[in-house]
Amino acid sequence: MKRLHGFVQHINQKRLKLQGKPFFEALRFLVIYLVIGIVWIVWSDQWLAAIVEDYDAFIQMQTFKGWFYVITSGFLFFVILQSRLTLLKELSDKLIHQATFDDLTQLPNKNKLTLMIDNIIDQCEPNDQYALICMDFDDFSNVNELLGYHIGDQLIASITTRVRPLINEDDIIGRDSDGFVFFVDLKNYPNDQLIDFLEEIKRSVNQSWNIENQILFVTCTMGVSRYPQDGDKFTELYKAANAAIHQLKEKGKNDYHFFAQEYHLERIERVTMMNEMRKSIDQHDLTLAFQPIYQMVDNRIVGFESLIRWHSETFGQVSPAIFIEYSEDTGLIHLIDEFVFESIIRLRKEWCYDEFKDIMISLNLSAKGLANAHLMAKVEAWVKQYEIDTSQIQVEITETALIANFDIAIDHLHFLKNLGFSIALDDFGSGYSSLTYLQTLPIDTLKIDRTFTMNIGMDVKQDIILETIINLADELDLKLVIEGIENVQQRDFLLEHQCLFGQGYFFGYPMELRNVYDLVKKDFQEANSKKEVDMI
Ligand code: C2E
Ligand code: MG
Ligand code: MG
């Protein structure tokens, strides 16, 4: 008996756990109902017997009492059930709304858009055409991070009120992460009217916004995909439109771009290229070329810049300008930076002959490399291991590398400087070019980008800027190397303006290591024989 009781209890507890609070609530109603019922039956019969003496009347009253109880309790039961079900319905409606609409703007979110747009596509006639436009605010995370999410939210809400009226009644506007999604019937936008529509959206977003007395400037980038050619489901069109945004953002922002299949192929090519690159790194297939740097007054070699070279089986010779950028995106750049740094340190050790004593070797360090603490530790270890004179190695970094991770970059620059390396700021004049760095950073050399050299003698204003930079470098005691010298006129202009060092096809192309030895020996011998002649 005890065991049976225990079993029943166990079952009950399980049931309670399963049913949770609704069970208790239902039980509460049941108990109330039963108590009232029992009280009603017992007391009402006693009262009735006391009041009604006639037996037939008593029976009649009892039947009436039974009906009264059933109707009243039925009515109460109906009211309670109805109020509970209404509450449940309201709650589930709210949940469905929350799951399918954006809280801030009350626009359909991506889940709802998927349902709505797939539904429209399912009912399409053969000649129907639609465009899906994904719009992203440029650098919107800056607004949220710098000014706070409440400002970001208000900004989105204000933009929504301005953008919403731009669409036709039967078109769709929805909300997605950092922007909006539009799905428009191209019947409503014949000829170039879709372009007009995109321009209109751009204009209405690219304005100044006053949010809590902060004036904000917003720009947006839009990617457009089209049904049926770019996909026949929302997910496909969405992917294509976002791919178009991605492509545009690589070139610039604040514009719109239509999805192009070729671009997709380009991305696939990138993946293939990076897979091959990984293999080449593992198989030690990367090489370095060396381009001479000359002291222009006496035409003597003062150094070489090492430039990475890669021959891919599929793509042939690939420019470092391309694969370095891709490698930065995929993280492979760390392996490349390690390869370059260690190769140059080892080479410096080998260049112990007299001819090479005063020759500087430059290496290019990527933005990610400059921010990489592991690489810095490795460099320190290699310097100790190979026991080299680091002052004859120059590390070239770009302004972009500095800006990307400013604080870490500065720390690591000092670290390299303390290890004895010479530091050069590469491609000066091609990017943000802030003169303030020049004073504060531990830089020894300024390398002027070849875009300046290209225009020497052709653009008076630019010549003046170049002269100013030359004077400034002189005042700040920076060594100046002009890149990309291709002809004698450019060389002569620079000599006239007291530029000491130059690099470019005019002096020599990047070459293989074995040619470097011959060239340096020849240069050394020529200089020595000139010295002897001078002495005579
Ligand atoms: P950079 O460091 O500014 O290197 C100079 C680039 O200009 C080299 O291109 C060189 O071949 C080219 N050049 C030199 N003289 C002339 C000239 O007179 N006319 C013209 N038109 N071009 C000239 P390259 O080797 O294709 O390298 C391109 C860029 O790739 C480099 O620019 C550098 O930013 C990057 N890079 C090259 N090697 C490495 C490397 O080992 N590591 C990293 N992180 N980046 C590298
Ligand atoms: Mg360089
Ligand atoms: Mg350069």
Side-chain angles (χ1 to χ4, degrees), residues 77-95:
F77 189 62
F78 171 80
V79 170
I80 291 169
L81 197 67
Q82 199 250 0
S83 80
R84 299 281 138 167
L85 287 177
T86 312
L87 198 72
L88 208 66
K89 170 105 179 45
E90 277 169 10
L91 268 173
S92 76
D93 283 352
K94 204 169 155 194
L95 280 177

Side-chain angles (χ1 to χ4, degrees), residues 260-424:
Q261 194 61 38
E262 310 84 81
Y263 170 65
H264 220 54
L265 289 178
E266 219 179 89
R267 288 186 73 80
I268 293 165
E269 273 183 5
R270 267 184 188 220
V271 176
T272 318
M273 187 181 275
M274 283 302 103
N275 284 341
E276 253 191 60
M277 170 56 98
R278 168 95 239 189
K279 253 196 264 160
S280 296
I281 295 172
D282 290 344
Q283 294 166 0
H284 307 287
D285 280 348
L286 297 179
T287 56
L288 289 171
F290 297 85
Q291 188 178 29
I293 299 171
Y294 276 76
Q295 177 162 283
M296 292 191 278
V297 256
D298 53 4
N299 216 35
R300 279 219 60 191
I301 296 174
V302 288
F304 284 89
E305 176 177 4
S306 70
L307 295 159
I308 197 157
R309 293 291 176 259
W310 177 46
H311 186 89
S312 139
E313 277 172 22
T314 315
F315 303 95
Q317 196 72 27
V318 186
S319 157
I322 295 175
F323 71 77
I324 291 286
E325 186 202 320
Y326 291 3
S327 308
E328 292 218 23
D329 291 345
T330 52
L332 281 182
I333 193 68
H334 293 312
L335 299 175
I336 295 177
D337 282 327
E338 278 183 19
F339 160 76
V340 172
F341 232 125
E342 194 184 6
S343 306
I344 297 302
I345 288 178
R346 247 197 276 136
L347 192 61
R348 187 67 264 172
K349 181 80 185 168
E350 283 170 25
W351 283 8
C352 53
Y353 317 106
D354 274 355
E355 296 95 316
F356 286 97
K357 224 168 54 230
D358 298 324
I359 301 276
M360 177 78 90
I361 324 176
S362 293
L363 63 92
N364 290 284
L365 183 61
S366 73
K368 292 228 165 113
L370 184 62
N372 182 355
H374 289 297
L375 179 68
M376 296 299 131
K378 281 192 172 168
V379 169
E380 190 178 21
W382 289 324
V383 167
K384 279 191 192 135
Q385 181 190 342
Y386 291 101
E387 296 175 326
I388 46 146
D389 174 9
T390 43
S391 68
Q392 290 299 85
I393 296 180
Q394 181 155 272
V395 180
E396 294 189 8
I397 50 130
T398 59
E399 287 164 281
T400 334
L402 287 174
I403 291 162
N405 296 290
F406 199 72
D407 293 335
I408 303 174
I410 305 291
D411 279 356
H412 288 172
L413 269 193
H414 283 288
F415 180 81
L416 292 171
K417 187 78 197 143
N418 289 338
L419 284 177
F421 291 101
S422 166
I423 311 283

Side-chain angles (χ1 to χ4, degrees), residues 29-39 69:
F29 277 111
L30 182 67
V31 170
I32 295 171
Y33 180 76
L34 289 176
V35 169
I36 295 174
I38 291 164
V39 168
Y69 187 81

Side-chain angles (χ1 to χ4, degrees), residues 518-531:
D518 297 340
L519 187 69
V520 171
K521 264 186 203 146
K522 199 168 132 242
D523 185 72
F524 190 72
Q525 278 160 5
E526 272 174 18
N528 276 348
S529 49
K530 199 167 162 246
K531 245 190 239 163

Side-chain angles (χ1 to χ4, degrees), residues 6 22 29 36 58 62 103 106 164 178 228 239 254 257 266 280 300 331 339 384 387 422 436-437 476 513 528 535:
F29 277 111
I36 295 174
F58 178 80
Q62 235 187 356
D103 242 9
Q106 297 307 316
R164 206 177 190 159
D178 268 356
K239 225 162 87 196
N254 191 18
H257 190 74
E266 219 179 89
S280 296
R300 279 219 60 191
F339 160 76
K384 279 191 192 135
E387 296 175 326
S422 166
T436 45
Y437 300 139
L476 294 175
L513 188 58
N528 276 348
M535 274 164 70

Side-chain angles (χ1 to χ4, degrees), residues 24-216:
F24 282 118
E25 196 163 352
L27 195 66
R28 197 162 58 90
F29 277 111
L30 182 67
V31 170
I32 295 171
Y33 180 76
L34 289 176
V35 169
I36 295 174
I38 291 164
V39 168
W40 175 256
I41 290 166
V42 174
W43 289 96
S44 63
D45 278 357
Q46 282 183 17
W47 289 336
L48 210 60
I51 302 163
V52 185
E53 284 167 11
D54 178 48
Y55 179 74
D56 284 346
F58 178 80
I59 296 295
Q60 238 178 10
M61 285 301 279
Q62 235 187 356
T63 311
F64 173 74
K65 194 167 60 80
W67 279 113
F68 175 76
Y69 187 81
V70 168
I71 289 167
T72 319
S73 60
F75 178 71
L76 277 176
F77 189 62
F78 171 80
V79 170
I80 291 169
L81 197 67
Q82 199 250 0
S83 80
R84 299 281 138 167
L85 287 177
T86 312
L87 198 72
L88 208 66
K89 170 105 179 45
E90 277 169 10
L91 268 173
S92 76
D93 283 352
K94 204 169 155 194
L95 280 177
I96 289 171
H97 191 270
Q98 270 175 3
T100 47
F101 283 82
D102 171 55
D103 242 9
L104 179 67
T105 56
Q106 297 307 316
L107 293 175
N109 67 11
K110 207 172 144 198
N111 292 336
K112 182 74 178 170
L113 284 172
T114 314
L115 291 174
M116 290 164 82
I117 293 172
D118 279 347
N119 195 22
I120 294 177
I121 291 176
D122 281 348
Q123 292 167 20
C124 264
E125 299 289 325
N127 288 330
D128 285 351
Q129 289 192 324
Y130 287 89
L132 185 92
I133 304 155
C134 285
M135 188 192 96
D136 236 11
F137 298 117
D138 300 326
D139 305 317
F140 198 76
S141 52
N142 285 351
V143 176
N144 282 333
E145 275 158 31
L146 301 178
L147 304 173
Y149 281 85
H150 67 291
I151 298 276
D153 282 357
Q154 284 184 54
L155 182 61
I156 297 263
S158 311
I159 296 176
T160 311
T161 8
R162 218 179 272 179
V163 166
R164 206 177 190 159
L166 299 182
I167 64 160
N168 279 317
E169 227 172 61
D170 45 349
D171 292 339
I172 294 174
I173 174 174
R175 176 105 162 81
D176 175 42
S177 53
D178 268 356
F180 298 105
V181 175
F182 303 88
F183 189 68
V184 296
D185 187 342
L186 289 177
K187 264 202 298 292
N188 299 329
Y189 301 88
N191 308 322
D192 278 346
Q193 285 188 27
L194 185 64
I195 302 285
D196 296 342
F197 175 61
L198 295 170
E199 287 288 349
E200 213 178 335
I201 298 177
K202 215 172 100 178
R203 258 197 312 277
S204 61
V205 173
N206 293 9
Q207 300 182 12
S208 59
W209 299 85
N210 186 343
I211 308 287
E212 290 189 6
N213 292 329
Q214 312 239 29
I215 305 294
L216 305 173

